[in-house]
Amino acid sequence: MLVVLLQGTREEDDVVSEDLVEQDAQDLYDAGEAQWGTDEAKFIMLLGNRSVTHLQLVFDEYQKIAEKSIEDSIKSELSGDFETLMLAVGLYQCIVIFPICLQGLGTADNTLIRIMVCRSEIDMLDIRECFRLRYEKSLYNMIQDDTSGDYKRTLLKLCGGDDDIAGEFFPEAAQIAYKMWEISAMTKVQLRGTVRPYQNFDPASDAQALRKAMKGFGTDEDTIIDIVANRSNAQRQEIRQTFKSLLGRDLMADLKSELSKNLERLILGLMMTPAEFDAKMMKKAMEGAGTDEHALIEILVTRNNQEIQEMCSAYQNAYKKSLEDAIASETSGHFKRILISLAQGTREEDPADMARALEDAQELADACNADSGDLEDRFMSILCTRSFPHLRRVFQEFVRCSNKDIEQIIKKEMSGDIKNAMFAIVRSVKNQPSYFADRLYKAMKGLGTDDRALIRIMVSRSEIDLFNIRKEFKETHDASLHEFIQVETFVGDTSGDYRKILLILCGGED
């Protein structure tokens, strides 16, 4: 591919043949998704020679054929440096390289300098905006966080401005933003968990093995971990019932008496039903001094109607108080109203209505431009009630109506918990696995690990989309979730059992 690019013979004609666009899109599909293995030569020939204008139309046509973006196909069909090169050539050019040279241990200064110098008079404005759209942080702030001194000041001058403050799009970047929301709306992502039902499941055998592991002097943590981490939640509930029927004992009480600290919390969390676990996490987020607002937001934003309603029932059964009353007593103002609205579990579940999406987008745009002071109310009335497929179209049309980015408007116009709640909704609508990947990263980075957040996400997503979260984590942070868990849970985990079960739930090294 590098040799092809070195020839300098890429087509430059802006006149595009519709028939050739359709043929190239079909050829790319046939070379990758449609067959076992990948015809890399076809990718090289097309992406290395066709004009940029032509390729943009090819990628749009490819989306219709494959029902997924060319980006996702490249990521699934290719790997390593070849994957990075094809993404750079076909899609993002410089913005693929920026996070790689800025993230992780140390900065790849030669790469950073090369891009900043050679693009500063060409297309730095559009690179900045594309960077912000893709990585949800401005290039300016990334440079500010990862460099220092006169070097930093020079790079910031070349960068030209902080787009997290501006919120406005440049013309070409606005088109890209609109297209990215369209791709988000059209892409069908297959969600995959990392924990699956155990094939040769025998609840009686598991119950007896667990009793043996806890009987007598000492506890066999390896057996407990092996059984609990490798059974689905439905199978664990059978084990709980069988344990009581066969042995006349409460498995949860026995586990609690034999285990301790984070291992106990993780094992007990896995043994609860999803509704019981969510109710417990909501209770923990509101008890004691201070409220964990991020946990409340995460749970209520990412659960569907049925999950929320079952959680409310479990909360009432466990604590003899409604979840709504608990929220009302622990929070206040607009934030309380947002949480109570989400806790009803009545979000619409219909597909997108394009006419209504345009109306909703215009209402949000009008709210941003008005001085009426009801911005939060108008955002809440739409973001807390409309279905996620519908909101994807609303946010797409919002770009057209306002020439602004919905995420940056929220950051600029709102503050505190209200901002965090609205931002979480937008992130979940755009890409929920990516939202969880970011939550996991924040739980483990820096001094100390937020084990409650780590346990909450690993337990609740293990059978739903943890595989997808792993993929997003690797792509965004240039390190695998498996690697992060190994390093960040080492301190304080003297036995290693807590880390061991987290790695089993993670499901593999990427």
Side-chain angles (χ1 to χ4, degrees), residues 233 237 240 268-283 299 303-319 323 459-460 464:
N233 190 270
Q237 302 317 309
R240 279 177 68 177
L268 290 177
L270 288 167
M271 291 303 305
M272 295 175 188
T273 66
E276 290 172 341
F277 181 69
D278 281 345
K280 178 82 169 179
M281 293 299 98
M282 292 292 288
K283 177 68 172 175
I299 294 169
R303 299 328 188 238
N304 62 37
N305 288 343
Q306 182 179 344
E307 289 167 340
I308 289 174
Q309 290 161 12
E310 289 174 354
M311 174 181 65
C312 288
S313 297
Y315 195 96
Q316 179 73 51
N317 291 336
Y319 307 112
L323 179 57
V459 169
S460 65
I464 301 173

Side-chain angles (χ1 to χ4, degrees), residues 8-15 49-53:
T9 55
R10 181 182 293 281
E11 298 166 2
E12 295 180 340
D13 192 352
D14 286 337
V15 179
N49 290 285
R50 297 290 192 252
S51 71
V52 173
T53 303

